[in-house]
Amino acid sequence: AAVTSVSVTGTANNTKYSGSRPIKTTLDTATNKYILKDDTRGGGVQTFNSAKTTTYPTTNFSDLDNNWTTAEYNNTNKDIGALDAHWGAEMTYDFWKNIFNRNSYDDKGTMLKSYVHYRSVATTSLVNAFWNGSVMSYGDGNTTTSILTSIDVCGHEIGHGICSETAALAYQNQSGALNEGLSDVWGACIEHYGRTGSLNAPYA
């Protein structure tokens, strides 16, 4: 399917965790719908729908008018989490580019891909989110834990990609704790940066 190469600004109205936010999307000319694909940041930011499977498909979330509303996406399927994942990845990219002049997690502009509704076991909802070495994987949570796509989770998990590209920290014992600790710090910084536009702005 042909997709135009020009990203436009849509509105995630609302995200689940961060209110109404502008997001970059692309018009898919094959379907005449907007998809969660941002070509303005490095090699791009794109958010896909794993649709409660153990796979990483090219299935898109789509919207007719680029106004991604609560009425449309805050459903029992928790599709609203895709808006948080997309915006969170955009803000994570901006944080690393604007604060550290780093182009994506590998500093090579590699596309930041997020997969929402991912499962590690086909029959069980995943109460977790993780970086699989190259892409983001977001579980839907359960009856007590909602979809795990808040911006600090985005920043934390993509941070593992930063860590793997910059440090040989074995994921065990003290070095594993350092790996997790760095992602915690970056997650908190990215949450502040995303919600205020600056690391110095007051955070309410």
Side-chain angles (χ1 to χ4, degrees), residues 152 155-160 178-188:
D152 55 322
H156 173 108
E157 299 300 347
I158 294 171
H160 287 308
L178 283 172
N179 188 329
E180 286 293 340
L182 288 168
S183 273
D184 282 344
V185 171
W186 295 331

Side-chain angles (χ1 to χ4, degrees), residues 191-203:
E191 180 178 50
H192 186 109
Y193 181 85
R195 290 184 177 172
T196 68
S198 167
L199 287 174
N200 301 316
Y203 185 80

Side-chain angles (χ1 to χ4, degrees), residues 10-133:
T11 302
N13 184 23
N14 287 308
T15 64
K16 180 169 182 58
Y17 297 103
S18 297
S20 184
R21 298 288 174 176
I23 53 174
K24 288 291 185 181
T25 63
T26 300
L27 181 65
D28 182 343
T29 55
T31 62
N32 204 33
K33 293 181 180 180
Y34 294 91
I35 61 173
L36 298 177
K37 184 174 188 288
D38 173 0
D39 290 324
T40 70
R41 291 170 164 90
V45 175
Q46 191 160 2
T47 304
F48 297 100
N49 185 0
S50 283
K52 300 181 181 179
T53 71
T54 60
T55 64
Y56 294 100
T58 55
T59 307
N60 286 297
F61 293 92
S62 60
D63 189 81
L64 280 171
D65 61 4
N66 216 16
N67 184 27
W68 305 68
T69 66
T70 302
E72 293 171 297
Y73 297 96
N74 190 20
N75 50 34
T76 55
N77 203 43
K78 304 180 182 179
D79 288 334
I80 195 170
L83 307 179
D84 291 89
H86 193 65
W87 179 73
E90 289 178 328
M91 293 303 99
T92 299
Y93 179 88
D94 288 356
F95 170 83
W96 286 105
K97 188 69 175 74
N98 296 337
I99 304 299
F100 294 100
N101 196 30
R102 187 173 183 84
N103 186 6
S104 190
Y105 70 94
D106 57 0
D107 202 22
K108 297 175 183 175
T110 295
M111 178 181 274
L112 288 177
K113 296 181 181 180
S114 300
Y115 292 82
V116 178
H117 303 319
Y118 178 82
R119 290 183 171 183
S120 52
V121 178
T123 56
T124 308
S125 181
L126 178 67
V127 191
N128 201 0
F130 64 93
W131 176 258
N132 80 346

